[in-house]
Amino acid sequence: MSVAAAEDEDLSGVADFEKEVHLLQMLASHPVWMTAMTVIKNNGYYEHVTQQNLETLFEFCHETVMHSLKFIMAGNDNTVITQQQQSQQQRVILHMAVMTCVFLSSLVGEFGGSNSAITYNCPLEFHRTSHVIFEQEGISKVLNIAMGGLSGIVNHWNNNSNNNVAMMDASVELAVGVVDVIVDVLGWEFGSIGGGHWGRTGGSGLVRPPESWREYLIRPDLLGAVFYVYTSVRELGKNHEQGQDTITALRRFQHSLRQLLIGLASITGSIFQSKTEKGAYLEYFVNGLLSVLSMIVTDLSPFTVQNERSTAEDILLEQLQRETVDFCCMMTRIVTNFRVEALSILQNFATFLSAIASVGDVLLRISVSELKAAHGDVEVMADDGDWRNEAIGQLLEAVCLLSEDHWLLSSRAGNAQDTARNALASSLAPLYSSYVSCRIEMAKMEEFYLTANAAELDEVREEISGVSMDEEMNAASSLGRVHLPSSLSCLSSVFQSCVPKLQALFASDEQAVTPDAAALLEEARLLILCTGHLLTDDCAGETPFIPEAILNSCVEPSDLSHAIKTGSDEFAATTHAISQIVHVLMGIAEFQVSKVALSPKNPNLSPLLAKTLLWFFTRWASAYILPSSSSSSISESGSGQKGILDTWSNQETSRQVVSFCVTLCLHYFTLWPHESQVIQGSSELLFSLAKRDRNVKLLLMSCPSMEHLFNLHICTAGQIHSSTEKNAGPGVSEKMASAFRRIPYKYRANILTAILTSSSEINDAKSESCFNACLQAVQDSFRILVEALEQKKVRPHDVFTVEMTCLCVELFGGITRASEICHPERIPIFMTPFLPQLAALMNFYATDITICELLLVLFRDYTERYIVSLDREQCMTVFRASADLLKDYSSNHCQSRVIRKAVNDSQENDVQEEQSYNDVLCAIQLLNNIGAKDFVDSFSSQRTGAKGVDSNEVIEVVFFGLKQILPLMTNGLLHFPTLCKQYFSLLGFMMETYPDKIGMLPFDLFNGLLNSMLFGMSHTDLFVSKSSLQGIAALCREQIENKSLSGHLSQNPSLFDECSKRILEEVIFQSIIWDRIEPAANALLPLAAVDMNKFATVVNMISQQLDTEKKQKIQQAFQTLMDPDVIGKVSKGNYGGRLNRMRFRKDFELFVKDIHSKVLVF
């Protein structure tokens, strides 16, 4: 049916037309379309049949869309057609065009895999082929149709957007359809399945379309016209005199245009023929973008003031929310795509940067206004604020990309990079001040409300909020470093206002936290967080360095005119500002500690604030004290003064700040022993310094406070919480010793780790003396405990004995974790002799799950850190001790303990439930660590000829341990992801390396092991499934070659039949097969070769469940797959040879494709 024919029909013909439209929709949403194309292509008839059909189809779609546009344009002249003719033709022609657009969008979605095509359960190859065919023959034609339609729509709106309101609804409906088609085409994964050279760029959302699309997409004139249409539609959408349906349609059109613009902002790659062309495209885009952003800022500005809003204003704000987020995303895409080098050439580059700052500022001020209107209650804000946080996040991402652009590193005086860097600093600096002031103001209001109303905190929500805030502040730190002097000035001014009030609060005698006090404490906390993120980076697992941007602002400018520009003319003032802020924070900490000494229970002294201060000092001290001269090329730039690098690098200043840190920790240890977060933060600060180089370690050892810490550990190593001994060491008061022993044992262990690491330098008498004294104190305490237990001087389950046991085990754990000391081999030399005695504790405390877990954690950590470096004698000691430990543990926790996975309604509950089985996890990890010794020693022996531990000695221990924990390996336990992965890691090692040992297991244990592998082979985790399938394959090969499982087969003759049935039904005949084809093939081949007749019986039994036609197909497919020659060779015990195995894997892949496309789908 042609468009002209549709014009001539009367209303009675509309029904036939609607049937035709319905058929189009059905075609785009049914697999038959793709199936026909794929089958025809695969059989060589594609060019002869489908090409002609496609051409006819796309010609019809193009004619439909373009004719409807002509009709709409004609509709602006009322003399052309009568009102009745318009009504009839509008219904037919416009509806046809709109449905054509829907059809095209559906078509792109079907072949792109974004719509229902993925639910057809077709094999991956089917979708891959369909994707390639449509990419080659269809996608460009769809774009051609849609871009032709877009040109007509743009012309219509540019020339007649306000002349004929009656035609507006018609044109908007078609415009939305056309634009949506283009958006879908731009979202096509170019070559992602077909293996082409196009595609998306990483995870940035950028699109690399083919060069042939230049004529459609690289048209700056059309780009400017699209922005003009958007602004026109935007203004029309504000006209509330129009009908609600019209306004809704216009807003939907706005949304579609925004998605189109985001897609156009993401275009990159060879589609641009030159930098000039790319720059022209960018200029047109940025001009249009800035015009819309100015409108958005103007519309948002009234909402920064707290006023009662009308319904119309609420509707406007709701529309602005979606618009603002989309345009912030657009800015981020522009920065990601074109980078600073291209942006800086634009005449309006500074205006673009100012727009980022303006939008960010107005969003922050609206957040403050909204929270004020809600009186600080986040839950009842007029809007939830998520849209503003999302938009601010997009802006901060753009700022990070701008400020950290690699192109700026080549900055030289007066060049383009230098000019761009200056523009960034001058334009974006105000946004950081706005960010700090608004975020602090919001935090104060929220804390005031919570305290005033005694509101209960949702811990999960608080944790999520904390993580989100941390990520946001990390991004904001890049913004602050763009112009560091102004950022430091902002923070200093807030500190000047906050610190006097904070000191007054600390000095008060108030015994309750008032809302005003809570707000002040939260202000101080946020201020410290902002400072910490600005001045330091999170260097977890890395050597801490001063951030490059900080160094660049705090060193003298390079005096080499031809060199890359480093340093700043304001370096002295900036360095002084950093030093002043750090001293302010030290003053706050000192003042707080002095008041804690007088009134430790005063709630206004805020342990949370102390924790935040410790967090700052941990990050700052590890990077700024005696900084490495190799931390940056800036330090070698030729400048005479290094600014911030010299501030804390001389002996005197570094000694003062190190002494301050250690003394602060000592006071917190002895004044707030029960404040776990403060104690943890203090031990982390100590450990961060102790891990530094020799110079810092020697500074630590020279501190009187560090000597007090050593004495506190030595005199309390044998004292539990309730001890009353009064034997404080030199320089340590009884009050300090009493407080120190009340610290939770796990934190005392962490403190021990820190002080051992700090005293680990060799060739220093004081360090060696303290190190040995700390170890001796633990040894003496443990010796007394063991003697008392062996000689029955104490009852094992007496509360004091249990406490002492927990303390000793925790302290040994602290010693074990000191693996970052100088010459770490000293730890195994000390620890190894005590392992048998530690394992023997399980005899006394096998029923105490707390001590069991402590012992398992200790052995796991010890083997994880030191197993690779132990000599043979030490290894044998570890092996025997581990075997004894696991034996006693198993006898009390593995034989009768039943583990079932509870049905929980949240991931949080799942995590908590899994943690309750941490002892099982530790036992599995211990065995995995021991198993690693076999590989390491085998490699070392081959390389050096040294005598390592024999494989049999390793496997005996691992196999023994596996037997102990197998009773626990139920499906309930294996539903926990971490436990499951660790178990199958151990199982994979055992089955692949020593399958012969499995035949020695009692049948019950063997059956449990086999069931766990059958459970794992269909697991969603690919590692688990592969390990399980490899284990099944290893069992089958062992039976073929050595008949090791004959004893088990005598008890269950159908053992391998059950394996065959389940691997076929649960893996091979399921959609999960596509990511585990190779291990499934490797398992199926020996499984069939064990007994081909029984395997054939299983296949026949499964095929009986199908209809006659499918039954014949599946049996024929199996006959083709199971080549008698290959099966015969495998069944003789040589596994068939490498070439035959490769042949079987290839045949198996074809078998799976055939079965899934012919039997299991259609």
Side-chain angles (χ1 to χ4, degrees):
M1 179 177 178
S2 67
V3 179
E7 261 188 85
D8 296 335
E9 281 199 356
D10 57 13
L11 280 169
S12 63
V14 171
D16 293 333
F17 164 73
E18 289 179 345
K19 291 179 181 178
E20 202 165 309
V21 169
H22 181 65
L23 288 173
L24 284 176
Q25 292 176 302
M26 292 293 293
L27 177 63
S29 61
H30 199 279
V32 172
W33 172 259
M34 290 192 295
T35 306
M37 293 185 68
T38 306
V39 172
I40 291 171
K41 177 72 174 179
N42 289 340
N43 288 278
Y45 301 114
Y46 180 80
E47 295 295 334
H48 178 67
V49 180
T50 312
Q51 184 68 32
Q52 180 181 357
N53 294 343
L54 273 178
E55 292 292 345
T56 303
L57 173 66
F58 289 130
E59 286 175 7
F60 170 77
C61 293
H62 186 269
E63 181 185 359
T64 303
V65 172
M66 299 311 295
H67 189 79
S68 65
L69 288 170
K70 292 178 183 178
F71 171 77
I72 292 174
M73 295 295 290
N76 291 291
D77 182 0
N78 290 330
T79 64
V80 177
I81 54 176
T82 66
Q83 186 68 30
Q84 183 180 5
Q85 289 173 326
Q86 175 180 312
S87 175
Q88 294 174 359
Q89 291 177 334
Q90 179 177 349
R91 180 182 178 189
V92 176
I93 297 177
L94 183 63
H95 190 55
M96 179 185 289
V98 172
M99 288 299 101
T100 299
C101 292
V102 173
F103 164 71
L104 291 174
S105 289
S106 299
L107 201 63
V108 173
E110 292 295 328
F111 284 95
S114 60
N115 285 356
S116 58
I118 59 174
T119 65
Y120 298 145
N121 293 324
C122 298
L124 182 62
E125 190 65 26
F126 172 81
H127 295 293
R128 188 191 306 277
T129 307
S130 301
H131 189 283
V132 173
I133 293 171
F134 193 76
E135 187 173 278
Q136 293 172 347
E137 308 294 343
I139 193 70
S140 60
K141 292 182 173 63
V142 174
L143 179 64
N144 178 44
I145 296 168
M147 291 303 294
L150 180 63
S151 298
I153 290 167
V154 166
N155 290 332
H156 164 65
W157 278 87
N158 285 349
N159 299 325
N160 306 285
S161 58
N162 298 318
N163 293 341
N164 192 330
V165 177
M167 292 300 298
M168 185 182 299
D169 291 347
S171 62
V172 167
E173 188 176 5
L174 177 59
V176 169
V178 169
V179 173
D180 285 348
V181 172
I182 301 175
V183 172
D184 290 337
V185 171
L186 289 177
W188 180 268
E189 293 287 345
F190 303 104
S192 62
I193 299 181
H197 64 281
W198 312 326
R200 295 188 177 272
T201 304
S204 62
L206 300 185
V207 179
R208 294 182 179 272
E211 296 177 24
S212 60
W213 288 17
R214 287 190 69 258
E215 60 178 302
Y216 304 121
L217 300 179
I218 310 305
R219 295 171 54 188
D221 56 334
L222 181 62
L223 194 60
V226 171
F227 271 108
Y228 178 80
V229 171
Y230 182 81
T231 56
S232 301
V233 175
R234 190 178 188 277
E235 292 304 313
L236 283 174
K238 294 181 181 180
N239 185 0
H240 297 290
E241 295 179 1
Q242 303 178 82
Q244 184 60 42
D245 291 343
T246 301
I247 293 176
T248 302
L250 287 170
R251 289 178 176 171
R252 186 182 168 208
F253 189 22
Q254 289 180 57
H255 173 76
S256 296
L257 285 172
R258 291 197 300 271
Q259 300 311 304
L260 172 61
L261 290 169
I262 290 173
L264 294 175
S266 307
I267 293 174
T268 188
S270 59
I271 193 171
F272 294 107
Q273 289 187 333
S274 64
K275 286 187 176 181
T276 303
E277 184 179 68
K278 190 172 184 178
Y281 182 90
L282 174 62
E283 186 166 9
Y284 273 92
F285 199 103
V286 171
N287 286 337
L289 178 63
L290 291 176
S291 66
V292 179
L293 287 174
S294 65
M295 298 178 187
I296 292 176
V297 172
T298 301
D299 290 342
L300 285 174
S301 295
F303 298 102
T304 61
V305 181
Q306 182 182 349
N307 290 319
E308 291 291 331
R309 293 203 298 260
S310 64
T311 303
E313 288 175 325
D314 285 335
I315 295 173
L316 174 61
L317 181 59
E318 183 180 354
Q319 175 62 20
L320 285 170
Q321 293 175 9
R322 295 189 290 268
E323 184 179 42
T324 304
V325 171
D326 285 343
F327 273 93
C328 288
C329 176
M330 215 175 295
M331 284 192 283
T332 304
R333 291 289 179 89
I334 284 291
V335 174
T336 303
N337 190 0
F338 296 93
R339 315 298 289 184
V340 179
E341 183 177 5
L343 285 166
S344 63
I345 301 173
L346 303 179
Q347 293 182 353
N348 52 12
F349 177 52
T351 309
F352 178 77
L353 297 177
S354 297
I356 293 177
S358 299
V359 174
D361 177 68
V362 75
L363 290 172
L364 289 164
R365 288 189 289 121
I366 290 175
S367 296
V368 174
S369 176
E370 291 287 338
L371 194 56
K372 280 183 179 178
H375 304 290
D377 187 359
V378 178
E379 300 293 337
V380 298
M381 289 175 65
D383 62 342
D384 57 12
D386 287 344
W387 70 274
R388 290 190 300 275
N389 292 333
E390 183 179 355
I392 291 170
Q394 292 282 357
L395 293 176
L396 290 175
E397 182 181 350
V399 170
C400 290
L401 292 168
L402 287 166
S403 61
E404 298 173 4
D405 195 303
H406 190 268
W407 179 73
L408 294 173
L409 296 178
S410 301
S411 177
R412 289 179 171 83
N415 69 354
Q417 288 93 324
D418 190 34
T419 303
R421 193 185 290 275
N422 292 334
L424 287 170
S426 60
S427 299
L428 296 178
L431 181 57
Y432 185 76
S433 297
S434 178
Y435 174 83
V436 170
S437 59
C438 289
R439 283 303 189 214
I440 288 178
E441 184 66 22
M442 292 174 65
K444 288 170 60 179
M445 287 189 288
E446 184 177 356
E447 196 66 24
F448 184 96
Y449 170 81
L450 291 173
T451 306
N453 294 275
E456 293 185 3
L457 291 177
D458 184 338
E459 292 185 4
V460 175
R461 180 179 175 276
E462 284 296 305
E463 184 177 356
I464 295 173
S465 176
V467 172
S468 177
M469 178 62 71
D470 188 65
E471 292 175 351
E472 184 180 282
M473 284 192 170
N474 276 329
S477 66
S478 296
L479 171 63
R481 293 169 189 173
V482 167
H483 190 241
L484 190 60
S486 64
S487 301
L488 292 171
S489 176
C490 166
L491 294 173
S492 296
S493 63
V494 183
F495 270 121
Q496 288 176 4
S497 170
C498 175
V499 171
K501 293 184 287 186
L502 191 63
Q503 290 177 338
L505 176 64
F506 288 163
S508 69
D509 295 327
E510 290 285 344
Q511 294 302 311
V513 179
T514 65
D516 288 324
L520 177 61
L521 291 169
E522 185 65 9
E523 176 185 7
R525 190 181 75 87
L526 260 290
L527 192 53
I528 296 169
L529 287 175
C530 288
T531 305
H533 282 287
L534 179 67
L535 297 182
T536 64
D537 286 332
D538 183 10
C539 296
E542 301 175 359
T543 301
F545 288 134
I546 300 174
E548 190 85 6
I550 304 295
L551 284 174
N552 201 39
S553 299
C554 297
V555 297
E556 185 180 15
S558 171
D559 55 3
L560 302 176
S561 58
H562 63 279
I564 292 177
K565 184 178 180 180
T566 58
S568 168
D569 293 331
E570 302 174 283
F571 81 97
T574 306
T575 300
H576 179 71
I578 293 177
S579 178
Q580 287 297 105
I581 288 179
V582 172
H583 281 95
V584 167
L585 292 173
M586 287 181 175
I588 294 173
E590 286 179 351
F591 193 82
Q592 184 196 41
V593 164
S594 68
K595 297 305 175 183
V596 171
L598 298 175
S599 181
K601 295 184 180 180
N602 185 347
N604 287 304
L605 293 174
S606 181
L608 180 59
L609 184 63
K611 173 193 172 185
T612 310
L613 283 166
L614 288 164
W615 168 85
F616 170 81
F617 289 128
T618 299
R619 289 175 55 138
W620 165 79
S622 57
Y624 284 76
I625 298 175
L626 295 178
S628 171
S629 59
S630 61
S631 62
S632 171
S633 59
I634 293 174
S635 62
E636 301 176 0
S637 61
S639 59
Q641 300 182 44
K642 296 180 180 178
I644 197 66
L645 289 172
D646 290 338
T647 304
W648 292 286
S649 62
N650 63 63
Q651 193 71 13
E652 184 57 32
T653 55
S654 58
R655 185 187 301 277
Q656 289 175 0
V657 291
V658 168
S659 178
F660 164 80
C661 292
V662 178
T663 304
L664 182 66
C665 294
L666 176 63
H667 285 311
Y668 282 138
F669 290 148
T670 56
L671 295 175
W672 268 345
H674 294 307
E675 294 294 344
S676 297
Q677 291 185 335
V678 177
I679 301 302
Q680 182 179 0
S682 300
S683 59
E684 288 174 354
L685 173 55
L686 272 181
F687 190 57
S688 69
L689 289 171
K691 290 190 297 182
R692 295 287 305 281
D693 57 19
R694 176 182 175 86
N695 292 330
V696 178
K697 284 184 172 69
L698 295 179
L699 283 177
L700 284 169
M701 294 304 300
S702 68
C703 296
S705 296
M706 180 59 79
E707 188 173 347
H708 293 335
L709 276 176
F710 282 114
N711 291 330
L712 281 171
H713 162 71
I714 292 169
C715 72
T716 61
Q719 298 179 12
I720 60 175
H721 297 322
S722 57
S723 296
T724 57
E725 292 93 337
K726 296 183 179 181
N727 58 342
V732 176
S733 68
E734 178 55 37
K735 183 178 180 181
M736 293 173 65
S738 176
F740 191 84
R741 61 173 166 255
R742 293 202 303 272
I743 296 174
Y745 299 143
K746 67 176 181 178
Y747 296 123
R748 285 174 64 176
N750 291 341
I751 296 169
L752 176 58
T753 302
I755 62 177
L756 283 174
T757 306
S758 65
S759 62
S760 62
E761 278 296 323
I762 60 172
N763 300 324
D764 179 71
K766 184 175 182 180
S767 295
E768 292 182 2
S769 174
C770 291
F771 184 86
N772 293 329
C774 288
L775 296 180
Q776 187 65 46
V778 177
Q779 177 180 342
D780 293 341
S781 300
F782 184 63
R783 177 180 52 78
I784 294 171
L785 172 66
V786 171
E787 288 178 356
L789 287 170
E790 289 177 347
Q791 298 175 14
K792 299 182 180 180
K793 295 180 180 179
V794 295
R795 291 177 297 171
H797 294 285
D798 179 82
V799 63
F800 301 110
T801 309
V802 171
E803 285 269 310
M804 189 63 196
T805 303
C806 290
L807 172 60
C808 288
V809 176
E810 288 281 16
L811 290 179
F812 273 111
I815 296 172
T816 298
R817 290 189 291 275
S819 55
E820 296 186 57
I821 66 171
C822 303
H823 297 276
E825 67 276 3
R826 290 181 287 176
I827 299 299
I829 291 173
F830 171 80
M831 283 284 297
T832 304
F834 294 104
L835 293 180
Q837 294 174 313
L838 286 164
L841 290 177
M842 192 68 81
N843 286 323
F844 299 100
Y845 299 105
T847 58
D848 189 319
I849 191 63
T850 300
I851 296 180
C852 282
E853 185 174 333
L854 287 176
L855 288 167
L856 287 167
V857 168
L858 171 62
F859 274 73
R860 179 202 64 188
D861 290 347
Y862 182 76
T863 53
E864 180 181 343
R865 285 169 167 80
Y866 304 105
I867 191 71
V868 297
S869 62
L870 300 181
D871 60 31
R872 187 177 187 284
E873 184 178 349
Q874 290 173 326
C875 275
M876 297 310 298
T877 302
V878 172
F879 292 168
R880 286 190 290 267
S882 299
D884 292 341
L885 182 78
L886 290 171
K887 180 180 179 181
D888 291 330
Y889 167 74
S890 170
S891 62
N892 287 274
H893 294 279
C894 296
Q895 303 297 330
S896 58
R897 189 176 180 185
V898 177
I899 298 179
R900 295 185 178 91
K901 175 69 170 64
V903 180
N904 292 319
D905 57 357
S906 71
Q907 187 175 3
E908 179 193 6
N909 289 337
D910 285 344
V911 173
Q912 291 177 350
E913 187 179 359
E914 184 173 13
Q915 288 175 348
S916 65
Y917 300 116
N918 191 52
D919 57 313
V920 184
L921 176 61
C922 290
I924 297 173
Q925 291 171 328
L926 169 59
L927 294 174
N928 275 323
N929 295 339
I930 294 173
K933 183 64 176 176
D934 183 29
F935 171 78
V936 172
D937 272 19
S938 296
F939 175 76
S940 177
S941 298
Q942 294 172 6
R943 185 167 57 90
T944 65
K947 174 63 176 175
V949 179
D950 188 74
S951 292
N952 290 330
E953 294 171 327
V954 176
I955 196 57
E956 288 296 335
V957 179
V958 178
F959 183 69
F960 176 81
L962 181 62
K963 285 198 297 184
Q964 306 307 310
I965 63 172
L966 267 177
L968 282 175
M969 293 302 116
T970 61
N971 288 357
L973 181 69
L974 294 176
H975 274 95
F976 297 115
T978 306
L979 282 164
C980 182
K981 201 161 187 175
Q982 288 292 333
Y983 169 71
F984 280 102
S985 175
L986 173 64
L987 191 62
F989 164 75
M990 284 292 300
M991 298 299 300
E992 194 69 21
T993 313
Y994 306 104
D996 56 304
K997 296 287 184 180
I998 304 301
M1000 303 177 186
L1001 286 172
F1003 180 75
D1004 290 343
L1005 292 182
F1006 170 81
N1007 198 46
L1009 181 143
L1010 181 60
N1011 284 332
S1012 69
M1013 288 191 290
L1014 293 174
F1015 167 84
M1017 67 184 181
S1018 59
H1019 200 278
T1020 54
D1021 188 286
L1022 192 56
F1023 172 81
V1024 171
S1025 66
K1026 286 185 175 181
S1027 298
S1028 301
L1029 290 167
Q1030 289 168 358
I1032 292 172
L1035 278 181
C1036 296
R1037 292 197 304 269
E1038 180 64 23
Q1039 173 61 19
I1040 292 172
E1041 296 173 4
N1042 302 315
K1043 308 297 181 183
S1044 302
L1045 305 181
S1046 300
H1048 297 322
L1049 283 171
S1050 64
Q1051 297 190 52
N1052 183 9
S1054 62
L1055 189 148
F1056 286 111
D1057 301 346
E1058 180 66 19
C1059 290
S1060 300
K1061 182 175 182 295
R1062 290 188 61 177
I1063 196 173
L1064 290 171
E1065 292 181 340
E1066 298 177 16
V1067 180
I1068 297 175
F1069 292 163
Q1070 300 296 326
S1071 58
I1072 61 172
I1073 183 61
W1074 301 110
D1075 62 359
R1076 56 200 72 180
I1077 283 184
E1078 184 174 339
N1082 291 339
L1084 187 65
L1085 177 59
L1087 192 58
V1090 169
D1091 191 326
M1092 189 60 201
N1093 292 329
K1094 288 189 175 182
F1095 181 80
T1097 302
V1098 172
V1099 172
N1100 184 61
M1101 181 180 63
I1102 295 175
S1103 64
Q1104 295 298 326
Q1105 304 171 21
L1106 305 173
D1107 59 45
T1108 304
E1109 183 181 357
K1110 291 182 178 180
K1111 174 182 175 181
Q1112 293 175 351
K1113 288 181 179 179
I1114 198 171
Q1115 290 180 345
Q1116 182 179 0
F1118 269 109
Q1119 289 176 2
T1120 303
L1121 174 66
M1122 298 298 172
D1123 187 327
D1125 182 48
V1126 175
I1127 297 297
K1129 291 180 179 179
V1130 173
S1131 63
K1132 291 179 181 178
N1134 60 3
Y1135 198 24
R1138 178 174 175 271
L1139 292 178
N1140 282 322
R1141 294 198 300 273
M1142 292 176 61
R1143 174 185 166 188
F1144 182 82
R1145 283 197 293 266
K1146 183 178 180 181
D1147 291 344
F1148 179 76
E1149 186 173 355
L1150 295 174
F1151 164 81
V1152 170
K1153 292 176 182 178
D1154 192 41
I1155 289 296
H1156 278 261
S1157 60
K1158 294 181 180 179
V1159 178
L1160 303 179
V1161 178
F1162 301 113

